[in-house]
Amino acid sequence: MINDSKQRYGSVSKFLHWGMALLVIWQLLKFGDRITEGEHWVGQTLVPFHISIGSLILVLIVVRLFWAASQRGQRPEQDPAMATLVKAGHGLLYLGLFLMPVTGMLFMVGNGYGVSAFGVDIFAKGDEIAWAATLGQLHSPLAWALTALIVGHIGMALIHHFVKRDDTLKRML
Ligand code: HEM
Ligand code: HEM
């Protein structure tokens, strides 16, 4: 089933969720640059794709927002006692996935490096732009906040599955 239903997420939502989860975790490996300045296997093989994958995430989050809007009213329902909190949590995850690539690009453009993804120039190298560089400094604090949110999100998914023993995780699998 392509579309979502009240009982479970459909194939498009699942593909976007798990595909992007993988890409986001890949992106978080960039924290590894803090260990011996990235001079290790992860830093040399996976992290060099940071800008390309980050740019792909920006495209995917826009697709995902349109998809989520098209599925409104036919997605699995939340426990009414927790619904507002769950919606806020998922909303913040969406916001994080949007702001991460945007601030990453502001960092690069602001410092005059330009942005190219998968070998295609998106923004050319040029002069430094002070306001963009300043906003780009939010990239790292936002990465920490997103990481905390993701840890909480995964923790809740596991609590639903192993402690509450409900079908919250199953409907996304
Ligand atoms: C969802 C997408 C993204 C995530 C989750 C992400 C995550 C991260 C993380 C975890 C760090 C390390 C921060 C630290 O050690 O404090 C980082 C650094 C960095 N990211 Fe991203 N990133 C994303 C997208 C992008 C994009 C699209 C670009 C550029 C176009 C970019 C450019 C950078 C740069 C230049 C740094 C180094 C910043 C510095 O040295 O202060 N990122 N990112
Ligand atoms: C790592 C990055 C992740 C992000 C950014 C993320 C984001 C999201 C978002 C935005 C939703 C709301 C539904 C949607 O729009 O697709 C969602 C739902 C869900 N996620 Fe994640 N997720 C991540 C990883 C995980 C992992 C690793 C698990 C499992 C351990 C998980 C389990 C779930 C479950 C079970 C739901 C459905 C919740 C419900 O219907 O109440 N997620 N996720």
Side-chain angles (χ1 to χ4, degrees):
M1 262 247 292
I2 288 176
N3 288 297
D4 299 343
S5 70
K6 294 272 182 203
Q7 287 70 42
R8 55 189 298 118
Y9 290 94
S11 52
V12 175
S13 294
K14 285 183 199 167
F15 176 77
L16 286 168
H17 178 267
W18 294 109
M20 288 184 77
L22 191 79
L23 295 180
V24 170
I25 288 167
W26 189 338
Q27 287 300 85
L28 295 181
L29 296 176
K30 179 83 177 158
F31 278 126
D33 280 4
R34 289 170 172 263
I35 302 164
T36 60
E37 296 188 352
E39 297 291 322
H40 44 70
W41 185 83
V42 170
Q44 283 160 352
T45 44
L46 298 177
V47 175
F49 294 97
H50 192 75
I51 291 177
S52 296
I53 297 199
S55 307
L56 177 61
I57 290 175
L58 183 57
V59 174
L60 288 175
I61 193 64
V62 173
V63 171
R64 188 162 171 184
L65 280 168
F66 277 106
W67 179 254
S70 79
Q71 302 299 302
R72 267 186 86 169
Q74 58 183 55
R75 297 199 126 179
E77 273 166 7
Q78 310 297 337
D79 170 5
M82 301 290 281
T84 312
L85 201 67
V86 172
K87 273 195 184 147
H90 289 168
L92 286 176
L93 283 166
Y94 273 88
L95 187 66
L97 294 190
F98 179 72
L99 289 180
M100 284 311 299
V102 169
T103 53
M105 290 191 183
L106 286 169
F107 181 99
M108 295 295 286
V109 173
N111 287 293
Y113 301 129
V115 176
S116 70
F118 302 105
V120 178
D121 280 340
I122 304 177
F123 295 108
K125 290 190 178 83
D127 295 335
E128 290 179 13
I129 307 168
W131 65 265
T134 306
L135 285 178
Q137 281 173 6
L138 290 173
H139 193 69
S140 172
L142 281 174
W144 287 103
L146 182 65
T147 305
L149 213 60
I150 289 172
V151 169
H153 176 70
I154 295 175
M156 284 311 295
L158 297 179
I159 287 174
H160 274 287
H161 193 69
F162 292 109
V163 181
K164 294 189 174 180
R165 294 177 185 276
D166 61 21
D167 66 349
T168 305
L169 181 57
K170 280 189 208 137
R171 65 197 188 185
M172 186 49 104
L173 288 174

